[in-house]
C-alpha cells in the first residue's frame, strides 16, 4: 500500500530568474551568438547553449570558446558579444502572462523577488522598457552582487535573494520546482537550484 501523500505546504515567497522566464532575452542571446560563431563556421546549438544558460558572462564565454574551439579568447568573445547585445537588449519583451501572474501574486500578498545572473549594466538595458513591472518585486539581486560568489547553478544568488526578505525565511525552507518535476533544496548542503524558487512555510 502506497504511503499517503502529505498535503502541500503553503508557498510564502517566490524568487524568479529573469532571462527566458520574465523577459524574452534568451532568443536575443541566441541570435547574437549564432552570428558570432557562424563567422568561424561553428554552430551555436542547443547543446552549447544549455551549457551556459544562467552563467556569468566570462564563464559562459569560456565555455562557448572551449566547446566550439573559437579562435579568440573568452575575454574577446565577451567584448564582441556585449557590443552586439547592448544593441538588442532594450528590445526585450516581457514573456507572455508574467505581468498578470506577478500582479496576481501581489494581490494575494505573496512577496516576489528576482535573482538574475545579469550584471548591473545588462539588467538596466534589458529592463529599460519595463521599469514599472520590475518595480512590482520586493527586490532584485544581480549577478555582480558582492554576496554572489559563485554563479548558477550554485545556490548563492538564490540564498542571498531569500535573505533580503524581511523577515528572511530560513535557508532550509528554500526549495525549487525543478524542470524534471523534482524538488531540490537550496540549503547549506549546496544543492543546485533551478530557474524558479519556492519558499515554503513550515
Amino acid at each position: 500500500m502506497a504511503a499517503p501523500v502529505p498535503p502541500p505546504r503553503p508557498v510564502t515567497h517566490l524568487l524568479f530568474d529573469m532571462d527566458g522566464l520574465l523577459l524574452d532575452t534568451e532568443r536575443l542571446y541566441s541570435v547574437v551568438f549564432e552570428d558570432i560563431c557562424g563567422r568561424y563556421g561553428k554552430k551555436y546549438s542547443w547543446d552549447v547553449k544549455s551549457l551556459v544558460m544562467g552563467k556569468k558572462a566570462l564563464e559562459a564565454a569560456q565555455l562557448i570558446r572551449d566547446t566550439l574551439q573559437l579562435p579568440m579568447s573568452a575575454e574577446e568573445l565577451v567584448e564582441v558579444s556585449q557590443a552586439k547585445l547592448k544593441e538588442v537588449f532594450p528590445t526585450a519583451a516581457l514573456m507572455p502572462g508574467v505581468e498578470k501572474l506577478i500582479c496576481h501574486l501581489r494581490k494575494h500578498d505573496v512577496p516576489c523577488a528576482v535573482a538574475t545572473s545579469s550584471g548591473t549594466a545588462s539588467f538596466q538595458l534589458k529592463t529599460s522598457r519595463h521599469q514599472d513591472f520590475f518595480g512590482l518585486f520586493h527586490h532584485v539581486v544581480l549577478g555582480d552582487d558582492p554576496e554572489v560568489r559563485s554563479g548558477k547553478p550554485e545556490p548563492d544568488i538564490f540564498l542571498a535573494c531569500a535573505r533580503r526578505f524581511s523577515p528572511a525565511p530560513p535557508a532550509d525552507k528554500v526549495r525549487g520546482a525543478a524542470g524534471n518535476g523534482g524538488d531540490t533544496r537550496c540549503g547549506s548542503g549546496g544543492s543546485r537550484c533551478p530557474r524558479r524558487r519556492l519558499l515554503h512555510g513550515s
Side-chain angles (χ1 to χ4, degrees):
M1 182 176 179
V5 178
R9 289 171 295 169
V11 173
T12 61
H13 304 69
L14 280 169
L15 309 185
F16 289 86
D17 192 356
M18 182 177 72
D19 292 302
L21 187 64
L22 300 175
L23 286 179
D24 186 16
T25 45
E26 293 295 351
R27 176 181 57 83
L28 303 179
Y29 281 107
S30 293
V31 169
V32 167
F33 282 103
E34 285 169 6
D35 175 65
I36 295 171
C37 296
R39 299 176 196 174
Y40 303 100
K42 306 292 185 177
K43 185 178 181 181
Y44 183 68
S45 64
W46 170 251
D47 288 341
V48 180
K49 181 172 182 174
S50 63
L51 295 174
V52 303
M53 291 176 69
K55 304 289 187 184
K56 295 184 179 182
L58 185 58
E59 183 182 2
Q62 189 68 57
L63 282 167
I64 295 169
R65 186 261 173 207
D66 292 347
T67 302
L68 297 180
Q69 293 295 294
L70 296 177
M72 62 173 66
S73 67
E75 290 78 7
E76 289 171 327
L77 181 54
V78 169
E79 183 178 356
V80 173
S81 61
Q82 288 297 316
K84 295 181 69 67
L85 288 167
K86 286 178 182 177
E87 297 176 3
V88 298
F89 276 160
T91 70
L94 293 177
M95 294 294 284
V98 296
E99 188 166 18
K100 181 178 180 180
L101 171 62
I102 300 304
C103 288
H104 172 80
L105 292 168
R106 279 179 61 90
K107 180 180 177 181
H108 292 277
D109 298 320
V110 178
C112 300
V114 176
T116 174
S117 296
S118 295
T120 302
S122 292
F123 177 80
Q124 290 174 346
L125 288 170
K126 292 173 182 178
T127 62
S128 59
R129 297 170 51 211
H130 309 292
Q131 294 183 13
D132 288 345
F133 172 73
F134 282 92
L136 298 173
F137 291 90
H138 184 273
H139 58 274
V140 176
V141 175
L142 303 177
D144 54 9
D145 189 287
E147 284 193 50
V148 182
R149 297 187 177 184
S150 298
K152 300 172 186 176
E154 299 304 324
D156 300 36
I157 193 167
F158 295 111
L159 295 174
C161 196
R163 285 193 294 269
R164 296 187 191 179
F165 286 111
S166 181
D172 63 357
K173 297 296 185 184
V174 184
R175 294 175 177 268
N180 61 3
D183 187 54
T184 57
R185 183 186 299 271
C186 299
S188 58
S191 300
R192 294 189 172 187
C193 299
R195 295 169 66 85
R196 184 191 65 217
R197 207 71 24 222
L198 308 179
L199 308 188
H200 292 286
S202 300

